[in-house]
């Protein structure tokens, strides 16, 4: 990935690349004040909101993949748990009332810049009284047969939905942990 900062966010001096002792990764370090800019993976949290044999999908109002259907998800915020983040993102994007259930997928995406780790929880919709947020053009429930897989936003979402429907057919839900490049 490219340099995250050309200049120090603390003192505006030029940043340099430096490797410290046994550290495995080179770091961006300020040439004057010594500030180190660590780049670490970002957790992405979301849900598979379910109602009977259907799942709630939201059509994205924003880039990337504007106009594609997706599950409610987004970057975890500081001072929240994974579950709280998944619930918050679902509220923000769909306005749906949910109860967060079990973790369904844990997906490493080491090739993203920076790397990401995605966590999708199954979530029971408590009612169908919802108000889509500004990041959502429209939303509705889909059965497995109604999904157009070419219209799904991301591989993380597609594989999560595939695991959900396969587990549903099998009559039990497991945690699926895998990696996508
Ligand atoms: Zn500095």
């Amino acid at each position: 990935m490219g340099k995250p900062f050309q200049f120090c966010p603390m003192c505006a001096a030029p940043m340099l690349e430096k490797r410290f002792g046994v550290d495995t990764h080179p770091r961006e370090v300020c040439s004057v004040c010594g500030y180190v800019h660590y780049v670490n993976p970002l957790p992405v949290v979301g849900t598979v909101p379910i109602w009977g044999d259907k799942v709630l999908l939201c059509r994205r109002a924003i880039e990337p993949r504007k106009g594609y259907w997706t599950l409610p998800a987004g970057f975890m915020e500081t001072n929240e748990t994974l579950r709280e983040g998944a619930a918050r993102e679902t509220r923000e994007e769909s306005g749906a009332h949910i109860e967060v259930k079990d973790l369904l997928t844990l997906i490493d995406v080491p090739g993203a810049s920076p790397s990401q780790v995605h966590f999708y929880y199954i979530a029971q919709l408590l009612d169908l009284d919802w108000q889509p947020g500004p990041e959502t053009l429209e939303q509705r429930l889909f059965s497995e047969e109604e999904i157009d897989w070419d219209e799904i936003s991301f591989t993380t979402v597609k594989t999560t939905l595939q695991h959900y429907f396969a587990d549903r057919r099998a009559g039990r839900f497991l945690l699926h942990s895998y990696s996508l490049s």
Side-chain angles (χ1 to χ4, degrees):
M1 64 182 290
K3 277 191 182 180
F5 284 119
Q6 196 173 356
F7 299 102
C8 177
M10 310 304 282
C11 78
M15 297 290 277
L16 302 172
E17 194 176 88
K18 190 173 171 183
R19 194 178 282 273
F20 294 95
V22 296
D23 203 349
T24 52
H25 288 63
R27 307 293 174 185
E28 297 298 323
V29 184
C30 176
S31 57
V32 172
C33 77
Y35 168 80
V36 183
H37 179 63
Y38 289 97
V39 180
N40 298 105
L42 287 171
V44 174
V45 285
T47 63
V48 183
I50 59 169
W51 183 262
D53 64 349
K54 298 189 173 189
V55 301
L56 177 66
L57 296 180
C58 305
R59 207 149 79 83
R60 293 174 62 83
I62 54 167
E63 296 292 353
R65 310 296 275 170
K66 185 177 176 181
Y68 285 76
W69 291 91
T70 199
L71 289 166
F75 292 113
M76 188 182 189
E77 297 284 2
T78 192
N79 298 130
E80 71 183 3
T81 65
L82 289 170
R83 270 170 190 282
E84 287 166 352
R88 176 185 50 72
E89 286 292 340
T90 306
R91 266 198 316 277
E92 287 176 5
E93 293 184 9
S94 71
H97 305 119
I98 55 158
E99 184 183 337
V100 178
K101 302 286 195 180
D102 291 336
L103 185 60
L104 179 70
T105 55
L106 193 173
I107 314 164
D108 282 291
V109 191
S113 183
S115 299
Q116 300 174 359
V117 187
H118 292 233
F119 302 85
Y120 279 95
Y121 289 85
I122 296 171
Q124 177 62 54
L125 283 161
L126 301 177
D127 56 51
L128 301 183
D129 176 23
W130 54 47
Q131 196 61 248
E135 294 181 15
T136 301
L137 291 171
E138 59 173 316
Q139 63 190 26
R140 68 178 185 89
L141 295 170
F142 287 80
S143 66
E144 184 175 10
E145 299 72 35
E146 289 169 331
I147 292 178
D148 179 347
W149 296 98
D150 293 333
E151 296 278 302
I152 297 298
S153 58
F154 303 106
T155 310
T156 47
V157 173
K158 189 177 189 172
T159 53
T160 294
L161 286 167
Q162 287 167 338
H163 281 302
Y164 172 74
F165 287 117
D167 278 10
R168 189 181 161 79
R169 279 195 301 276
R172 49 89 186 112
F173 293 96
L174 304 174
L175 170 60
H176 304 271
S177 178
Y178 52 102
S179 183
L180 296 171
S181 52

